[in-house]
Amino acid sequence: MNNSSSGHGAWWQSWRIFPAVYAGLGLVILVAQIKDGNAASGLVWFGVMAAIAAGYAFGGRFDLIRQARGDLADEREVSINTHAMAATGTVLVIALTLCIVYELARGHNPSPYSPLMAVGGITYLASLVISRFRS
Amino acid sequence: MTNEVRRLRIEHSLTQQQLAEAMHVSRQTINAIEAGRYTPSLPLAIALARYFKSSVEEMFGEPAEQRVYE
C-alpha cells in the first residue's frame, strides 16, 4: 500500500535521480555550448536546468512536485501517476502522427518523427508482452 | 461508490490522518476513499476491513437491491 520511493529501494528508483539528471544535463549543455562558442547561451540553459533541478530537490513539500519526481506516497498516487503517463503517451502519439502526416503532405521525409513513432510502438508492444507475462 | 469508511472512522473517533497513518497511506487517499473518488486496492480494502473488525463486503459492498449481475 505504501509505495514511497523516498527511503528504500535501488538508487535509480530514488527521487534524487531527477535533480541529478537535470543538473547533469545542464552541465552537458553548458560544455557543448561553450565548445560551440555560445557560452552565454550555455549559461542560460544551465541556469534553467539548475532551477528545475533545485525545484525537484527542494520542492518536496508540494504534492505536485513530489509526485512529478516519482516520490509516490501510496497506491492512489501510483494510480494517478500511471494515468498521467498514459495521457502523456497518448498526446505524444497524436502529436507525432500529426507531424508525420504534415511532413509527408509537404513531400518531405518524416524523419525524425517516424523513428520516434517506431520506438513508441515497439516500447508499447514490448510493455504489453512483458506485462502479460508477469501478470 | 459508496462505503462505510467515514462512518466507521468517526465511530472509532479517528481523524483521517490517524487512519491514514495506520494504513500507511496519505490523508488525501483516505479522504478520496471516503468521498468515493478512489476505489482502494484489494489489499487496502482488506486492511481497512480488518482494522475496523468488519468485512470488505460490509464496508464496500453495494446494497443487495443495487447489485446487477450480468
Side-chain angles (χ1 to χ4, degrees):
Chain A
M1 284 167 280
N2 189 344
N3 298 286
S4 175
S5 57
S6 56
H8 309 289
W11 63 268
W12 64 84
Q13 293 174 318
S14 167
W15 62 265
R16 292 171 184 84
I17 200 78
F18 273 82
V21 164
Y22 275 94
L25 277 174
L27 274 176
V28 169
I29 293 171
L30 176 63
V31 170
Q33 294 277 302
I34 288 173
K35 276 189 175 178
D36 211 28
N38 297 318
S41 169
L43 281 171
V44 169
W45 273 105
F46 179 73
V48 169
M49 300 301 266
I52 295 171
Y56 273 128
F58 303 112
R61 61 192 293 264
F62 299 103
D63 282 348
L64 192 64
I65 292 176
R66 188 174 47 71
Q67 275 192 269
R69 70 187 187 186
D71 186 10
L72 305 171
D74 59 23
E75 60 176 48
R76 179 174 145 271
E77 291 194 353
V78 170
S79 170
I80 291 170
N81 197 46
T82 303
H83 281 96
M85 284 197 289
T88 305
T90 303
V91 169
L92 277 175
V93 166
I94 292 169
L96 283 173
T97 305
L98 291 175
C99 288
I100 289 171
V101 170
Y102 177 71
E103 291 297 330
L104 288 173
R106 291 199 312 159
H108 291 179
N109 186 336
S111 188
Y113 306 114
S114 48
L116 285 172
M117 191 74 152
V119 168
I122 291 166
T123 304
Y124 178 71
L125 287 175
S127 297
L128 274 185
V129 170
I130 292 168
S131 297
R132 287 176 65 89
F133 181 74
R134 291 174 64 176
S135 63
Chain B
M1 182 184 179
T2 58
N3 61 67
E4 299 293 312
V5 176
R6 185 188 299 273
R7 183 181 65 75
L8 287 166
R9 176 178 63 76
I10 292 169
E11 269 183 21
H12 285 72
S13 304
L14 289 168
T15 64
Q16 288 185 339
Q17 185 63 42
Q18 287 169 328
L19 181 57
E21 284 168 12
M23 294 295 108
H24 305 293
V25 297
S26 65
R27 185 194 59 75
Q28 290 91 334
T29 295
I30 296 297
N31 183 266
I33 292 170
E34 287 185 357
R37 293 195 312 273
Y38 175 67
T39 304
S41 67
L42 191 55
L44 179 54
I46 291 171
L48 281 164
R50 282 186 179 158
Y51 187 81
F52 289 120
K53 296 181 173 52
S54 178
S55 67
V56 173
E57 289 89 343
E58 281 179 55
M59 291 195 69
F60 297 99
E62 295 165 354
E65 62 269 21
Q66 290 182 13
R67 274 185 216 138
V68 178
Y69 296 102
E70 292 185 11

